[in-house]
Every structure is written in C-alpha cells, then in structure tokens.
Amino acid sequence: MRDDHLITAKQLSREDVDAILDRAAEIDADPAAFADRHADAILGLLFFEPSTRTKMSFETAIKRLGGDAVDMGTVESSSVKKGESLADTARVIEGYADALVLRHPSQGAAKMVGEFVDVPLLNAGDGAGHHPTQTLLDLYTIRENAGLDDLTIGIMGDLKYGRTVHSLAHALTNFDADQHFISPESLKLPRSVRYDLHETGANVREHTELEEILPALDVLYVTRIQRERFPDENEYQAIAGEYGIDLETLEPAKDDLTVMHPLPRVDEIAPEVDDTDYATYFEQAHNGVPVRMALLDQMLEDRQ
Amino acid sequence: MRDDHLITAKQLSREDVDAILDRAAEIDADPAAFADRHADAILGLLFFEPSTRTKMSFETAIKRLGGDAVDMGTVESSSVKKGESLADTARVIEGYADALVLRHPSQGAAKMVGEFVDVPLLNAGDGAGHHPTQTLLDLYTIRENAGLDDLTIGIMGDLKYGRTVHSLAHALTNFDADQHFISPESLKLPRSVRYDLHETGANVREHTELEEILPALDVLYVTRIQRERFPDENEYQAIAGEYGIDLETLEPAKDDLTVMHPLPRVDEIAPEVDDTDYATYFEQAHNGVPVRMALLDQMLEDRQ
Amino acid sequence: MRDDHLITAKQLSREDVDAILDRAAEIDADPAAFADRHADAILGLLFFEPSTRTKMSFETAIKRLGGDAVDMGTVESSSVKKGESLADTARVIEGYADALVLRHPSQGAAKMVGEFVDVPLLNAGDGAGHHPTQTLLDLYTIRENAGLDDLTIGIMGDLKYGRTVHSLAHALTNFDADQHFISPESLKLPRSVRYDLHETGANVREHTELEEILPALDVLYVTRIQRERFPDENEYQAIAGEYGIDLETLEPAKDDLTVMHPLPRVDEIAPEVDDTDYATYFEQAHNGVPVRMALLDQMLEDRQ
C-alpha cells in the first residue's frame, strides 16, 4: 500500500499535523499564491453516501488550487447498481484521476481500497471508522482560535457513536490538552476509546453536567445527538434539551470561549448563539477548504 | 443585507437593466474577450428543486468567464436530509464560493437567505415568488428581436400562476410597451398583479381570444398551461388546445413576429413552428448564458 | 445532419480509425502537450441512463484538454420530468456547449437528436443501438497490446444482446483479424449480425467451448452475462460458471494473451486473474480517456 494514502488521523505524527496546519495557514493568508499550483490535477470523488460539506469542500479545494474534479455521482446513477465491487469501481476511476477521495458507509472501506489503487487515496469517512480530514480541520480551528497548547477543551453530546469525537480526542493527545467529556451515561465514550486515551497519558475527565466544567473551558465542542439512537422520543427530547446550549447556558463561560460543532446541527446550539463571538462552527466548516488544499497540495507535490 | 443580492427584478431600475443587457450584448459580440475575466471565481449552486435550463446556464456562464462552480447536488444527496436548516446550509456553502445561486420551492426563501450570507446571492426562482434572471433574459431576447421601445407584446396562457409572466409584465412597465394578456377566464392575471400594473400607468389590456390582437403583436410570449391545475382532464385538453399555437394560428401575424416561451413546452407550440423565423424560444433559452455572464461579471467585478 | 456527428462506429473508415488511434497514442505519450488545447471548450453531457465509466471518462477527457463540462444531471433532477421532449432538451443544451455527448436508453436516439442539433454530437450509447467510443477504446487497447493485424481474437459471453460485441466485431472487419465467438447456444450472435460479418468477407467462427480455441488466441474479450436474461436462476448460474474464467481456465493460453472486458464485471473473471499479465481490462477502461481526448480534440479542431 502507498504510504501517502491518508486513511486515519492516527497515522499522522505531531510533526505531520503541524506541517499540514502551517500550510493551511499560509493558504489562508495568501490564497492567490496557490491559485495555479496544480492546474493539470484531477481529483476523483467517490461518495457512496450523501455529503454536502466534505464533498463540496474537497471540490472547492482542488479548484482553488487550479485543478478540477470528476465525480462518480450518486450510487443510484453509477455502475455500482450493476453489481460492481468497490475495488473494481476504484480501480477504474483511478485511471481518470491524480488522487482519489472516498466516502463509504462501511468501516474499513478506505483501507481496503487503499490496497488496490496506485494513486493517493484520501479517506473522507468510512462509516463508524475514520474521517481524518475532519480531525485536521478541527485541529486547525482550535489552533487558530484557542491554540493547541495549554488547552482545556470540553467535548459534549454523543460520545458513544461519534467518530469525529474519537478521532479528535486521539489527535489531541499529541498536544498539551486537558480533555473533558460531557454526556449522559447512555452516550459515554466507549470503554475502548477511554482506554486508548489513558494509555497515551492524556489528561482526560468525564462529566454528566456541562456546568461542572464550563467556566474552565477554552473550547466547547458540541456534537449532534442522533434521534435515531433513542427508541423513545421523550427520552431523546429530554437528553437533547439537556445537552444543547443557548445564551443562558453559556453565561458562566469565559469571554473568549470557542464553540465548535461539526455540523449539521439540529437543536444542539440555539440560533441566538450564532451572532456571538463564541460561534466558530461556520468558520470551522469553512476551514475545510484551506486544510484540504494544504493536504492536496502536499500530496500532489510529493508525487511529482 | 448586502445591496448587491439579486432577489427580485423589481429592485432593478431601467438603468440597471440597460447596463446588464448592454453588457450581455458585448459578451455576445465577443465572448473571447470575457473568457478569462474571473479565473479564480467559484460560484456555489444551491438547487433545492429540479432545474435544467437555469442551473446549466449559470454553470456555463461562470465557466465561460473562466471560473468554476461547486454544486450542492440534489437534496437527497445532501445534509438537508439530516434536518439542517436552509440558513445553515447557505452559511456553510458561502465559505466555499464567491457568490451563490439559490433555487428553492418556498416563496421568500431567497430574501431570507440573503439576510444570512455575506457573499452576493442570486435568486434563481423561489416558488411562486421571483426569478429575476429569467426576466432579464426575456427582456434581452425582446430587445434583440423586436426592441423594447414602441413594443406591442401579447402574453398568453397561464397568467394566474406563472411567476415568469408577472415578473416580465412588471419589468416591461419601465419601457414603452403595450401589454396584452390572453387567457381563459379561469387563468386570468391575479387582481393584485393587474392592480400593480395599472398603478404604474402601463398600457395593459386583457383578452380571451388570441385572434383579437394577434395581427398587432411584435412579440407573442406563450406559457405552459399546467395539467395539474385542472381537476378535469377534458377541461385541460380544451383549454390547452385553444391557447396553443401552430402554423395555422399564426397566419394573421406580422411577418416579423417573435414567438417566445420560457420552456419546457409541452403542447403549447406545435413543432412545425420550430423551423419558422417566428420561433425564438431556443434562442431565448440560449440567451440565459450571456445575460447570466453579464450579471456575474458585474457582481464579481463590484466586489473586488 | 452535420457530418461530424459520431453516431455509430460503422461510419468510420479504417483511415478514420487509424487517425483517431494515432492521436490517442500521441496523447498517451505526452499528455502535457494537450493540456491547454481547448481551454475555452465546454462539453454538454446528456446522460438519460446511469453510467460511471463513459460519463466520467468523457468528463476527464475534456478537462485534460483544458476545457470543461456541463452536466444535465440525472433525469429526476431535470426538466425531462416536466414532459419535455428529447429533441427540445438537446436543442436547449446545445446553446450552452461546443459539443454534446448523449447516452439514452432508446435505440436510434442519437441519430434522431443529430437531426436537430447544430453542434457536434457524440453517441455514448443508445440502448441496443451503438456505442462507438467503446469500440474505439477497444480497438486502441487491442492495438497497443496485440496489434490489429494478424490478430486472432475470441469474444465470449453474451453475444446475443451485447451491443459492445456487435460493434467491435464489425469494426474488426476493417483489419486482418480472425474472429472466434464463444457462447452457449442461447446467447449466440443474432443471425443478422452473423450475416453482416460474413458479407464483409471476415474470417468468423463460432464455438460453444472456450477450450476449443483458447490456445490460438491473442486476445480474449469477455462480456457480462446478464442475470436478468434468464428466467431460471440455476440456468444462469450454470452458464455464468461455464463462460467465466480463472487461472485454471487460462492455463492453456499463450503467455502473452490479452484479456479484456468492457466492465463492470460480476463473476465472469475471477479476481485472481487481476494480478496476472493477462489482465488488461482496467487498462482498457483507462484508455477511454486518451481515446475520447483524441476524438474531442479532432472534433473541436475541425470546427474552428
């Protein structure tokens, strides 16, 4: 397997992460300097699941580097319907592109495809598995707003199923961060993830109430609690209400608290928060572009 | 709200319209002069409803200016399915693009989104609301074929529900045009639109028979009568037949009559008309490109 | 009708084919020399059926020539749903593009559309009809791997319904090729195709067993046997098994046998064949790009 595939954030050292985030900051400071970097590059998009943010920001990223994308389209409009295997689809499309981006509902899909293709592959989410570019844009947003060292971060909501959260928590162990996990008992971090974090020596604590820790936080990362996890609608409503935030909830927070969310949100953050300086979730989504530009730029540069 | 959003044709003065149509004519005369105007521009496409003409001509327009588009895709393949609000979707996508185009089934959607986004927004149709770029390409087609001054125009078909018609009729009040509206009683102009037109002092008359006025017309603008408006199929057939045209119908017309239609047509214009000099509806559709190029060129220039 | 429409491979002489394949070879040897050839060209994509390979490779081809594509999208997201005729849709879209590519489920669709449009049209498959660019990329793959002269080729699988096969067989009659057709009785070449081939004086033989002829072959072209052709699942399984290949089947073959398949495959070629030198089907799919670039380059050059 090529060693420039990006399958999981775990494969990135602190130095790798710093290099990517530094380049993203360079791009943010002077995007015009990168506008013709990869004029002949074509990025192949294989999205086997709906996606707005990730797909559009990859497409924007390659176009802002002067290149272009070719898109497999939805599964319904592709050969997948005729029974083609994922490996075959990827091996065909790699012939059209200089790099591939894959989103797939099955955990492990990116690693498997990585064994077959000869162009660099970027994992854009494989089910309950990994989504490394989300982690990188989260780190970039934290670095730009609160700094990655001497950081106190709270991560709240669905900590059991959220792959975003597990990946971010692991990546933060490379930095000097105190991590606080806030959730109902039923949505706590899985034992394996907690064990993994403790192994690295990370400073990790769990809470059931946001107010216990809110005043100490530099960053509050809120995640979506998925209605479909709850057999009972009332239970969902109660928990969603308790782990959502509004202006009142945020009163005890530091003035310079950074509130993040991977989006889409449903009711976890009240719209009234949007107009405050806390709100960093749209900036976070927009950071997908410079971060993915940085990654693509590095990847396409390396293979020349 | 930014004052360079284009939400409704009503916000455009006669001078604004002239400037856009003049620029479209320049583009038509020498498209190569515009081919690299906006090489780094990206247009974000948010189409919450099916569209061929409008979406493809916007996409063609930005590409013919040297730029590119990123497309949200269908609602089914996007985050909208996860319950994201329209305002949130737009605020995410504005981070990828230099301008946005929105088509949405709900009247007022463009105005609402315009309150939230910080890049210029073009309304590409919001339900029964506005569709200003359609009006501009209609005006351009009339200007190029019959002239906008000393004009006698007939507008025929579904005048009750057709937003295209209401918007065009209003825009024509800026010019020296006699407007004749031809429809069955059941599909007459709504009272509010008729009132609006009379207020401007426009010369407006209504007819139930095309033959009453056809010989005087410079332009005949035909619109689609939608089958789904009629509970009874026979009634639809009768009316569709009476308000459709063919070579025989057109016999009393001036030789240089311009026949327009916003397309898609179903049975309103017989295919035998396509090969005559009357037929201007495909040219009209094609005019979507230079007119939208002119608009985008102006909009992207202004923000530099 | 324009004489530069490409509706069927039958309209191409041996000289035409050689010119296209020569240009494709030039492109393969030095793609950078073609990277800015058609910077202002826009290709209109009209795909009325799902397609991965054909659509993506056309899109890649125009982009690798420096141009761009505009895509009608799926039928569900287009005006077709509003009852627009195919001819009208094509006549609208030709106004946006410098050339059109059409895939449609109805035999004869490309020829019909060709009568209406004034820009060059490429048929990308019309039902049981023609798919000339598939034939060209097949010929290119054969030429690059085994040569088109003094060729012994076996074509196996569904020879009754496979338009790919009929078109390739006909095209090969321009060259010095012995053609062997291998299939169960129920899926033999249609009488009309066999008659057509004999008319040209081509050297054609039919077999029911691959082993009768395998050792003599330079190329083995395998096609998909479609499950839906068989009322009985067991019969399908038996036939699919007998007309599929694996390493054991291929033992009597020449060392330099070229195995081709138009893809997608289901079970006709065992994955263990993929890692051998026989396997040429992914290369064949990738050849869609230089061949379509060569065609587009020629077509766009001619109209300047």
Side-chain angles (χ1 to χ4, degrees):
Chain A
M1 189 160 81
R2 288 179 71 107
D3 60 7
D4 58 354
H5 291 332
L6 178 59
I7 306 301
T8 161
K10 288 189 185 177
Q11 75 190 67
L12 301 173
S13 67
R14 160 128 200 194
E15 287 67 37
D16 293 334
V17 170
D18 283 338
I20 295 163
L21 304 194
D22 287 349
R23 197 180 292 227
E26 265 183 72
I27 291 169
D28 250 346
D30 185 12
F34 291 78
D36 286 313
R37 274 286 178 104
H38 299 285
D40 297 337
I42 291 184
L43 187 63
L45 304 176
L46 292 84
F47 279 74
F48 288 80
E49 272 189 338
S51 161
T52 306
R53 246 158 295 284
T54 305
K55 187 170 159 190
M56 288 186 87
S57 70
F58 265 116
E59 202 173 335
T60 305
I62 189 70
K63 290 176 175 179
R64 294 242 182 253
L65 290 167
D68 215 327
V70 292
D71 181 359
M72 185 187 79
T74 59
V75 170
E76 288 67 34
S77 70
S78 79
S79 286
V80 178
K81 268 183 65 185
K82 299 181 191 159
E84 186 169 60
S85 73
L86 173 58
D88 273 17
T89 302
R91 275 183 289 187
V92 166
I93 297 175
E94 72 164 324
Y96 307 149
D98 300 295
L100 298 180
V101 179
L102 175 72
R103 150 96 38 126
H104 198 277
S106 308
Q107 190 166 0
K111 189 160 183 293
M112 186 278 279
V113 168
E115 308 277 354
F116 285 99
V117 298
D118 288 323
V119 300
L121 175 74
L122 286 154
N123 182 6
D126 55 345
H130 301 284
H131 190 5
T133 59
Q134 178 70 44
T135 302
L136 287 165
L137 75 87
D138 287 345
L139 292 173
Y140 183 67
T141 306
I142 295 169
R143 193 175 89 161
E144 296 294 299
N145 286 277
L148 278 163
D149 289 301
D150 195 18
L151 171 73
T152 303
I153 185 171
I155 303 181
M156 180 167 82
D158 177 357
L159 308 181
K160 186 168 177 187
Y161 300 102
R163 70 176 164 201
T164 300
V165 163
H166 305 161
S167 181
L168 177 61
H170 191 277
L172 284 170
T173 63
N174 282 322
F175 300 87
D176 177 20
D178 289 350
Q179 301 192 49
H180 298 267
F181 295 93
I182 307 126
S183 70
E185 277 297 326
S186 63
L187 293 174
K188 281 175 71 175
L189 280 184
R191 181 195 290 254
S192 65
V193 174
R194 207 180 320 134
Y195 179 82
D196 219 32
L197 295 175
H198 280 298
E199 277 288 281
T200 66
N203 194 356
V204 167
R205 284 186 52 201
E206 297 182 272
H207 310 260
T208 52
E209 312 281 335
L210 175 60
E211 57 190 26
E212 287 171 34
I213 186 65
L214 178 58
L217 299 180
D218 301 310
V219 173
L220 173 60
Y221 196 111
V222 183
T223 67
R224 189 156 59 104
I225 293 180
Q226 297 188 281
R227 195 182 297 258
E228 52 272 32
R229 304 286 183 212
F230 295 85
D232 181 56
E233 174 71 15
N234 291 332
E235 198 189 330
Y236 163 73
Q237 289 295 353
I239 282 182
E242 200 178 341
Y243 294 88
I245 60 171
D246 56 21
L247 287 186
E248 200 189 323
T249 326
L250 291 175
E251 249 167 42
K254 287 188 191 173
D255 280 353
D256 62 352
L257 173 72
T258 295
V259 175
M260 296 172 65
H261 189 297
L263 302 181
R265 66 172 159 179
V266 183
D267 299 310
E268 306 87 30
I269 302 178
E272 64 187 17
V273 179
D274 298 358
D275 296 323
T276 68
D277 288 339
Y278 299 135
T280 315
Y281 25 95
F282 292 115
E283 179 189 323
Q284 178 187 0
H286 300 169
N287 283 337
V289 176
V291 167
R292 289 177 175 117
M293 284 175 76
L295 256 178
L296 290 169
D297 184 41
Q298 191 190 70
M299 198 171 245
L300 293 165
E301 200 175 77
D302 286 352
R303 64 191 295 273
Q304 274 160 4
Chain B
M1 189 158 83
R2 289 179 71 107
D3 60 5
D4 58 354
H5 291 332
L6 179 58
I7 306 300
T8 160
K10 288 189 183 176
Q11 75 189 70
L12 301 172
S13 68
R14 161 130 199 192
E15 288 66 39
D16 294 333
V17 170
D18 284 339
I20 295 164
L21 304 194
D22 287 348
R23 197 180 293 226
E26 265 183 74
I27 290 170
D28 250 347
D30 185 11
F34 291 78
D36 287 311
R37 275 286 178 104
H38 299 285
D40 298 336
I42 292 185
L43 186 63
L45 305 176
L46 291 84
F47 279 73
F48 288 80
E49 271 190 337
S51 160
T52 304
R53 246 157 295 285
T54 306
K55 187 170 159 189
M56 287 185 86
S57 70
F58 265 117
E59 201 174 336
T60 304
I62 189 69
K63 289 176 176 180
R64 294 242 182 253
L65 289 167
D68 216 325
V70 292
D71 181 359
M72 186 189 77
T74 60
V75 170
E76 288 67 34
S77 69
S78 81
S79 287
V80 179
K81 267 181 67 183
K82 299 182 191 157
E84 186 168 61
S85 74
L86 174 56
D88 273 17
T89 301
R91 275 183 290 186
V92 166
I93 296 176
E94 72 165 323
Y96 309 150
D98 300 295
L100 298 181
V101 179
L102 175 72
R103 149 98 35 128
H104 197 277
S106 307
Q107 190 165 0
K111 189 158 182 295
M112 185 279 280
V113 168
E115 308 278 354
F116 285 99
V117 298
D118 289 322
V119 300
L121 175 74
L122 286 154
N123 182 6
D126 55 346
H130 301 284
H131 189 5
T133 60
Q134 178 71 44
T135 303
L136 287 166
L137 75 88
D138 288 345
L139 291 173
Y140 183 67
T141 306
I142 295 168
R143 193 175 89 162
E144 296 295 300
N145 285 277
L148 278 163
D149 288 302
D150 195 18
L151 170 74
T152 302
I153 185 171
I155 303 183
M156 180 168 82
D158 176 358
L159 308 180
K160 187 169 178 188
Y161 300 102
R163 70 175 164 202
T164 299
V165 163
H166 305 161
S167 181
L168 176 62
H170 191 275
L172 285 169
T173 62
N174 282 323
F175 301 87
D176 177 20
D178 288 350
Q179 302 192 47
H180 298 267
F181 295 93
I182 308 125
S183 70
E185 278 296 329
S186 62
L187 293 175
K188 280 175 70 175
L189 279 184
R191 180 195 290 252
S192 65
V193 174
R194 207 180 320 133
Y195 179 83
D196 219 32
L197 294 175
H198 280 297
E199 278 287 281
T200 67
N203 194 356
V204 167
R205 284 186 51 201
E206 297 183 271
H207 311 260
T208 53
E209 311 280 338
L210 174 61
E211 59 190 27
E212 288 172 33
I213 188 63
L214 179 57
L217 299 180
D218 302 310
V219 173
L220 174 59
Y221 196 111
V222 184
T223 67
R224 189 154 60 103
I225 292 180
Q226 297 187 279
R227 195 181 297 257
E228 53 273 31
R229 304 287 183 212
F230 293 85
D232 182 55
E233 174 72 15
N234 291 331
E235 199 189 330
Y236 163 74
Q237 289 295 352
I239 282 183
E242 201 177 338
Y243 293 88
I245 61 171
D246 56 22
L247 287 185
E248 201 188 323
T249 325
L250 291 175
E251 248 167 44
K254 288 190 190 170
D255 281 352
D256 62 353
L257 173 71
T258 295
V259 175
M260 295 172 65
H261 190 295
L263 303 180
R265 65 171 159 182
V266 181
D267 299 310
E268 306 87 29
I269 302 179
E272 64 187 17
V273 180
D274 298 357
D275 297 323
T276 67
D277 288 339
Y278 299 135
T280 316
Y281 25 95
F282 293 115
E283 180 188 324
Q284 179 187 0
H286 301 168
N287 283 338
V289 176
V291 168
R292 290 178 174 116
M293 283 174 76
L295 256 178
L296 290 169
D297 184 42
Q298 192 190 70
M299 197 171 246
L300 292 165
E301 201 174 77
D302 285 351
R303 62 192 296 271
Q304 276 159 6
Chain C
M1 188 159 80
R2 288 179 71 107
D3 60 5
D4 58 354
H5 290 332
L6 178 60
I7 306 300
T8 160
K10 287 189 184 175
Q11 76 190 67
L12 301 173
S13 68
R14 160 129 199 192
E15 287 66 38
D16 294 334
V17 171
D18 284 339
I20 295 163
L21 304 195
D22 287 349
R23 197 180 292 226
E26 263 183 74
I27 290 169
D28 250 346
D30 185 12
F34 291 77
D36 286 312
R37 274 287 178 104
H38 299 286
D40 298 337
I42 291 185
L43 187 63
L45 305 176
L46 291 83
F47 279 73
F48 288 79
E49 272 189 336
S51 160
T52 305
R53 245 158 295 285
T54 306
K55 187 170 158 190
M56 287 186 86
S57 69
F58 264 117
E59 202 174 336
T60 304
I62 189 70
K63 289 177 175 180
R64 294 241 182 253
L65 290 167
D68 216 325
V70 291
D71 182 0
M72 186 188 77
T74 59
V75 170
E76 288 69 33
S77 68
S78 79
S79 286
V80 178
K81 267 182 65 184
K82 299 181 191 157
E84 186 168 61
S85 74
L86 174 57
D88 274 16
T89 301
R91 274 183 290 186
V92 166
I93 297 176
E94 71 164 325
Y96 308 150
D98 301 293
L100 298 181
V101 179
L102 175 72
R103 149 98 36 127
H104 198 276
S106 307
Q107 190 164 0
K111 188 158 183 297
M112 185 279 278
V113 168
E115 307 279 354
F116 285 99
V117 297
D118 289 322
V119 300
L121 175 74
L122 287 154
N123 182 6
D126 56 345
H130 301 284
H131 190 5
T133 60
Q134 178 70 45
T135 303
L136 287 166
L137 75 88
D138 287 344
L139 291 174
Y140 183 66
T141 306
I142 295 169
R143 193 175 90 161
E144 296 294 300
N145 285 277
L148 277 164
D149 289 302
D150 195 18
L151 170 73
T152 303
I153 185 171
I155 301 182
M156 179 166 83
D158 175 356
L159 309 180
K160 187 167 176 188
Y161 300 101
R163 71 176 163 201
T164 300
V165 162
H166 306 161
S167 181
L168 176 61
H170 191 276
L172 284 170
T173 63
N174 281 323
F175 300 88
D176 178 19
D178 289 351
Q179 301 192 49
H180 297 268
F181 295 93
I182 306 126
S183 71
E185 277 296 327
S186 62
L187 293 175
K188 280 176 70 174
L189 281 183
R191 180 196 289 255
S192 64
V193 175
R194 207 180 319 133
Y195 178 83
D196 219 32
L197 294 176
H198 281 297
E199 277 289 280
T200 67
N203 193 355
V204 167
R205 284 185 51 202
E206 296 182 271
H207 311 260
T208 53
E209 312 279 337
L210 174 60
E211 59 190 26
E212 287 172 33
I213 187 64
L214 179 58
L217 298 181
D218 302 311
V219 173
L220 174 60
Y221 195 111
V222 183
T223 67
R224 189 155 60 102
I225 293 180
Q226 297 188 281
R227 195 182 297 256
E228 52 273 31
R229 304 289 184 210
F230 294 86
D232 181 57
E233 173 72 15
N234 291 331
E235 198 189 330
Y236 163 74
Q237 289 295 353
I239 282 182
E242 201 177 339
Y243 293 89
I245 60 170
D246 55 21
L247 287 185
E248 200 188 322
T249 326
L250 291 175
E251 248 167 42
K254 287 189 190 171
D255 281 353
D256 62 352
L257 173 72
T258 295
V259 175
M260 295 172 66
H261 190 296
L263 304 181
R265 66 173 158 178
V266 182
D267 299 311
E268 306 87 30
I269 302 179
E272 64 187 17
V273 179
D274 298 357
D275 297 324
T276 68
D277 287 340
Y278 299 135
T280 316
Y281 25 95
F282 291 115
E283 179 187 325
Q284 179 186 1
H286 301 167
N287 282 339
V289 176
V291 168
R292 290 178 174 116
M293 284 174 76
L295 257 177
L296 290 169
D297 184 41
Q298 193 189 71
M299 198 170 246
L300 293 165
E301 200 174 76
D302 286 351
R303 63 193 294 271
Q304 275 159 3

